[in-house]
Amino acid sequence: MEAPVLPRGRITRPRALGAAVIGIAFLILYRITLAPDILGHDSGDWQAGGATLGISHSPGSPAYTILAWFFSHIPMGTLAARVNLLSAVTGAAGVVLVFIFMLMLLNRWLPALVSAATLGLGGHWWAQASVAQPYNSVPVFICGLLILLLLWREKGDLKLVYGGALLCGVGLAYHPSLLYFLPVLIAGLFVLGPWRKFIKPLPVLFAIILFGLGLCIYAYIPIRSGMNPIIRYTPVDSLSGLYHFVTVSEARSTGTFAATLPGQDELRQRLSEVVRQGYFPSYAFLVFGPAIALLYPAVWRRLKPRRRMLSFLAAGALFHISVVFIISGIYVQYYLPVLLYFSTWAGFSVWLVMTVAEEYLDVKRLRYAPTIATAVIYFGVLALGIPQILPFVNHREDLGMRRYANWVFSQAKPDAVVMANWDSYPGLLFAQKVDGLRPDLKIIPVPPETWRDYLPAERAENPTSQILLARSLPFDDHSGTSEIGSWYFISIKGRTYQDQTHGEPDPAAVQLFEVK
């Protein structure tokens, strides 16, 4: 028989202490691998927006920007590194919340620890915790809302619904991709708890008000845009402009976010990139093996108090992942909820092994052997995966963007025009606008595939301009280059926050070419 366990939903002092220790441990781990300075691409834009209370690229994420601004005042490292620290704290918070959720759901320490370690050591999760970005907040909000749903099922307190409504509104203001989880959340409200208590005029109205209160954070964007901050992706001066900015309508019109049903090969590639490449290869398959225990009648009986929640979680995860795959296109950072669901399954699989051992091993001395062996195997395989993902997640030496910015500013002549693609434009803008370097330069964002279209107009406007354009090329090609005497220059640079094994050169690359 199963040993006595604490009531679900109860977080005792030892459990709270364990969650705090886990959170601190992962925060230290993420701090060790944290990027120390400015970065290129999206991360550079999030850094600049957060450090200056500016407006980053759409959808803006105003809640992230405001919180990042507070982090920028922490007396630690460079200004950019302080903004990066917010991602490390968010990543550690996600690990803590999944640990708490699994403790509340299964009432066992080992499954909760396995789930926390699976999420915290996932390659894409760890990588997102080392650079400035808001994307890892989405699984954090999802896990918080799942905890509230679990409590709603146990207690049926309307205060939990109100708290969830406010949390959901704030989460959407942190990053609107949380919207993909909203149908799952609404379904859970009716499937898991006493929904008749909620479907009354006053409770529904109060929940809507609190949800709208969280969404009001979006008012920051047009208000701050009217103040003309030094970092502003685009002016937003109307409700329609705010709508198009938040919904990324410009990108959708170009097909970047077009909803397309992925084929089998593409789906397999996405799942492999997010899950299998983020761990030691066998781990992604190992955690599904214990599912065979569901065929045992005793195990199925043990699941009875949890069947509804587990069935809802499985169906909700399948729906949410499908929506993410269809809508998010090539942007793997939106797939982070997959790691959350994968980590919960990893913990559940450990619970299945423990349950089988307790039900079918009568010899007490052998009862704990499968549990010990499972812990050794799961944590051992996770540890084996760390060397493989470390080059991808470790950014502690990532000074490529800073070196590149210093090099560009040293080469550019007075009042030059610097044309840069998105790989380098945010980092260069941070160095100029935030750090105050080379205010005489005119930095223009230009898509790399269309840079030639800009040359005649700029040349006619300012025939003595020097133009540098950033594009992707490995760092080794910089050796032996020297300044070329001409009006126009193309400077080629690669991204700085991922390595070559993941398709992006690291660190920054610089090379000059004369434009005929």
Side-chain angles (χ1 to χ4, degrees):
M1 297 299 294
E2 186 176 11
V5 294
L6 293 167
R8 277 174 290 163
R10 182 179 175 185
I11 301 298
T12 62
R13 182 176 298 178
R15 293 182 173 189
L17 180 61
V21 170
I22 291 171
I24 293 172
F26 274 94
L27 180 59
I28 292 173
L29 180 65
Y30 298 153
R31 174 64 183 87
I32 291 173
T33 59
L34 194 69
D37 209 334
I38 58 174
L39 297 164
H41 211 257
D42 287 6
S43 290
D45 193 37
W46 295 120
Q47 287 173 324
T52 63
L53 269 184
I55 300 176
S56 300
H57 63 280
S58 55
S61 300
Y64 168 84
T65 300
I66 295 170
L67 193 56
W69 181 77
F70 282 105
F71 268 74
S72 70
H73 291 80
I74 297 176
M76 181 212 75
T78 65
L79 183 58
R82 299 171 194 174
V83 179
N84 296 341
L85 182 63
L86 173 55
S87 297
V89 172
T90 307
V95 175
V96 169
L97 286 179
V98 77
F99 173 78
I100 292 174
F101 174 70
M102 295 302 289
L103 265 181
M104 294 172 63
L105 181 64
L106 302 177
N107 296 300
R108 294 299 181 90
W109 279 83
L110 182 58
L113 285 171
V114 168
S115 289
T118 301
L119 180 65
L121 297 178
H124 287 280
W125 184 265
W126 190 347
Q128 294 290 305
S130 300
V131 298
Q133 49 71 39
Y135 309 111
N136 62 355
S137 68
V138 176
V140 174
F141 281 101
I142 290 174
C143 199
L145 291 168
L146 287 175
I147 290 174
L148 291 178
L149 282 176
L150 188 59
L151 292 172
W152 166 245
R153 180 174 182 266
E154 295 294 323
K155 300 181 178 181
D157 190 345
L158 283 174
K159 293 179 182 178
L160 298 167
V161 178
Y162 302 148
L166 179 62
L167 184 64
C168 189
V170 174
L172 286 169
Y174 210 98
H175 197 276
S177 62
L178 181 63
L179 184 67
Y180 306 155
F181 179 73
L182 195 56
V184 180
L185 179 65
I186 295 174
L189 184 66
F190 290 91
V191 172
L192 299 178
W195 57 271
R196 290 181 179 85
K197 293 175 62 175
F198 173 68
I199 300 300
K200 296 177 181 179
L202 284 180
V204 171
L205 179 61
F206 194 42
I208 293 174
I209 291 174
L210 288 172
F211 176 73
L213 186 63
L215 281 180
C216 280
I217 300 175
Y218 271 110
Y220 163 87
I221 293 177
I223 293 173
R224 187 60 179 157
S225 178
M227 298 178 182
N228 196 25
I230 60 175
I231 300 297
R232 184 176 63 175
Y233 180 79
T234 186
V236 180
D237 53 9
S238 64
L239 285 177
S240 61
L242 178 62
Y243 171 79
H244 291 300
F245 183 76
V246 173
T247 58
V248 202
S249 58
E250 179 182 354
R252 294 185 186 279
S253 65
T254 61
T256 305
F257 285 95
T260 56
L261 190 64
Q264 289 185 358
D265 292 340
E266 187 178 11
L267 182 60
R268 190 182 303 112
Q269 180 181 358
R270 293 181 184 180
L271 284 171
S272 177
E273 185 174 1
V274 176
V275 178
R276 191 168 182 267
Q277 292 180 5
Y279 303 95
F280 194 73
S282 61
Y283 187 73
F285 301 102
L286 176 69
V287 297
F288 293 105
I292 194 173
L294 294 173
L295 299 177
Y296 288 84
V299 175
W300 190 248
R301 287 195 300 270
R302 285 276 199 98
L303 280 175
K304 186 175 182 179
R306 306 175 177 89
R307 284 179 197 170
R308 179 177 292 186
M309 185 66 193
L310 290 170
S311 299
F312 165 77
L313 187 61
L318 182 61
F319 172 83
H320 186 197
I321 291 171
S322 300
V323 172
V324 169
F325 281 158
I326 293 171
I327 294 179
S328 297
I330 64 173
Y331 296 97
V332 180
Q333 60 265 32
Y334 292 143
Y335 304 159
L336 288 175
V338 177
L339 290 180
L340 172 64
Y341 300 128
F342 181 75
S343 67
T344 58
W345 178 266
F348 177 60
S349 67
V350 172
W351 183 87
L352 289 175
V353 173
M354 296 173 66
T355 302
V356 170
E358 290 170 356
E359 288 288 342
Y360 294 99
L361 289 180
D362 295 330
V363 182
K364 291 185 178 180
R365 288 178 297 177
L366 297 177
R367 181 175 294 180
Y368 298 105
T371 300
I372 296 172
T374 300
V376 171
I377 292 173
Y378 274 63
F379 288 119
V381 176
L382 280 173
L384 288 173
I386 293 178
Q388 126 177 340
I389 67 172
L390 198 58
F392 177 51
V393 304
N394 186 12
H395 300 285
R396 63 182 303 175
E397 303 296 335
D398 192 353
L399 295 170
M401 188 66 235
R402 175 61 70 182
R403 296 191 191 102
Y404 175 72
N406 291 341
W407 184 86
V408 169
F409 291 164
S410 69
Q411 294 293 310
K413 298 175 181 177
D415 301 316
V417 175
V418 177
M419 301 179 72
N421 69 351
W422 192 246
D423 282 351
S424 65
Y425 173 74
L428 293 174
L429 201 64
F430 187 107
Q432 182 191 57
K433 300 294 187 180
V434 182
D435 293 339
L437 304 177
R438 293 302 304 269
D440 60 299
L441 299 179
K442 183 179 181 181
I443 303 177
I444 301 175
V446 181
E449 65 275 7
T450 61
W451 64 269
R452 291 180 182 84
D453 298 337
Y454 288 81
L455 291 180
E458 289 296 336
R459 190 167 189 174
E461 176 186 343
N462 187 357
T464 61
S465 295
Q466 178 190 18
I467 296 181
L468 294 91
L469 173 68
R471 302 184 74 188
S472 298
L473 201 70
F475 177 71
D476 291 342
D477 290 340
H478 171 50
S479 58
T481 60
S482 60
E483 183 175 352
I484 304 173
S486 179
W487 289 337
Y488 298 102
F489 290 83
I490 304 175
S491 175
I492 295 183
K493 190 197 80 66
R495 290 192 189 181
T496 63
Y497 61 93
Q498 291 183 359
D499 68 297
Q500 291 186 8
T501 60
H502 290 76
E504 300 181 40
D506 176 52
V510 181
Q511 187 171 3
L512 288 179
F513 291 92
E514 183 177 5
V515 178
K516 302 295 184 182

